[in-house]
Amino acid sequence: MTSVGIHHESSAAWRPAVSGTLQKALLVSGLLSSVMYVAFDLVAASRYPGYSLVNQAISELSAIDAPAASASLWKWLGPLYGVLFLAFTVGVLRSGRGNRALRISGWIMLAFIGWGMLWPFFPMHQRGTETTASDLGHLILGGGSNVLIMGFIGFGAYALGKRFLSWSLATMLVFFLTAIGTFSYVNEIGAGDPTPWLGIIERIMIYVYLLWVAVLAVALLIRDREGGSSGITTA
């Protein structure tokens, strides 16, 4: 065999290995993005004197005039989470070759990332202070994000079989109910009134979608490791 032939065969064997390693890293990024979000949330809350994880909204950790120790940490979350989730989205789109539901889910994830880039321009004010256009924009962004989350979970639900479908539908139900519960506190926050259980309700809403992303990442990693196809399964 000529040296050219040997070089061609080694290159052909090397490319799939590199591609596989890259794909694993992209999918692992989804798992890391969810873990990082929860970690930043809990650490930022611990650095906000008097903050209640049970009764206060997540956005209050980075609200205008929030303590610097909390707000500065939260400002790092957006870019880091965005990069990790973008990497995961690329992995989902790569995994979705031949799987229409998964690819549509990936494209909606991409729209979710683009929409999320507007968050820094519309921070909320501390509860009980004057409401401005920034607070209205914050609410609109929250509502739009929820619609996009429901969208990528809804399409992704049909990508990996019946058990994943059942899990996804349950996730969507919990997410929808807690989203309604979260938005029901808008007037109380604006008036500076107590908001019992808001922190728990909103965190269930956020954490359940983060868990769905983590489960999808693990499911795709397992499927790739076992050499499963990218088509829709029925198991």
Side-chain angles (χ1 to χ4, degrees), residues 143-159:
S145 294
N146 289 351
V147 170
L148 291 168
I149 289 169
M150 290 283 285
F152 68 66
I153 294 177
F155 278 99
Y158 294 91

Side-chain angles (χ1 to χ4, degrees), residues 66-149:
S70 167
S72 61
L73 178 65
W74 203 254
K75 286 179 180 178
W76 281 98
L77 173 64
L80 291 174
Y81 178 82
V83 168
L84 287 173
F85 197 81
L86 176 60
F88 175 64
T89 298
V90 173
V92 169
L93 289 170
R94 284 165 57 93
S95 292
R97 293 166 183 165
N99 186 326
R100 185 181 180 189
L102 192 58
R103 283 193 68 81
I104 293 175
S105 181
W107 285 115
I108 299 175
M109 288 180 187
L110 195 61
F112 173 70
I113 295 169
W115 182 257
M117 293 177 68
L118 298 174
W119 280 110
F121 301 102
F122 297 96
M124 69 175 283
H125 285 79
Q126 292 278 39
R127 61 174 60 209
T129 59
E130 181 182 1
T131 300
T132 69
S134 181
D135 296 279
L136 177 59
H138 193 86
L139 288 174
I140 293 172
L141 281 171
S145 294
N146 289 351
V147 170
L148 291 168
I149 289 169

Side-chain angles (χ1 to χ4, degrees), residues 21-33 84 87-95 213-214 216-224:
T21 300
L22 173 61
Q23 180 66 2
K24 288 179 182 178
L26 292 173
L27 294 177
V28 168
S29 295
L31 179 61
L32 292 177
S33 70
L84 287 173
F88 175 64
T89 298
V90 173
V92 169
L93 289 170
R94 284 165 57 93
S95 292
V213 168
L216 175 62
V218 172
L220 292 175
L221 284 166
I222 292 174
R223 189 198 66 177
D224 290 349

Side-chain angles (χ1 to χ4, degrees), residues 152-222:
F152 68 66
I153 294 177
F155 278 99
Y158 294 91
L160 294 173
K162 293 181 179 179
R163 284 182 295 179
F164 190 74
L165 172 61
S166 298
W167 158 255
S168 299
L169 293 178
T171 297
M172 291 178 69
L173 177 61
V174 173
F175 184 87
F176 178 73
L177 293 176
T178 51
I180 292 175
T182 297
F183 277 88
S184 70
Y185 286 94
V186 168
N187 291 334
E188 287 81 359
I189 293 176
D193 294 335
T195 51
W197 301 106
L198 169 59
I200 295 295
I201 294 171
E202 186 183 26
R203 283 178 172 82
I204 292 174
M205 178 187 76
I206 298 296
Y207 288 9
V208 76
Y209 113 73
L210 294 174
L211 180 59
W212 184 88
V213 168
V215 170
L216 175 62
V218 172
L220 292 175
L221 284 166
I222 292 174

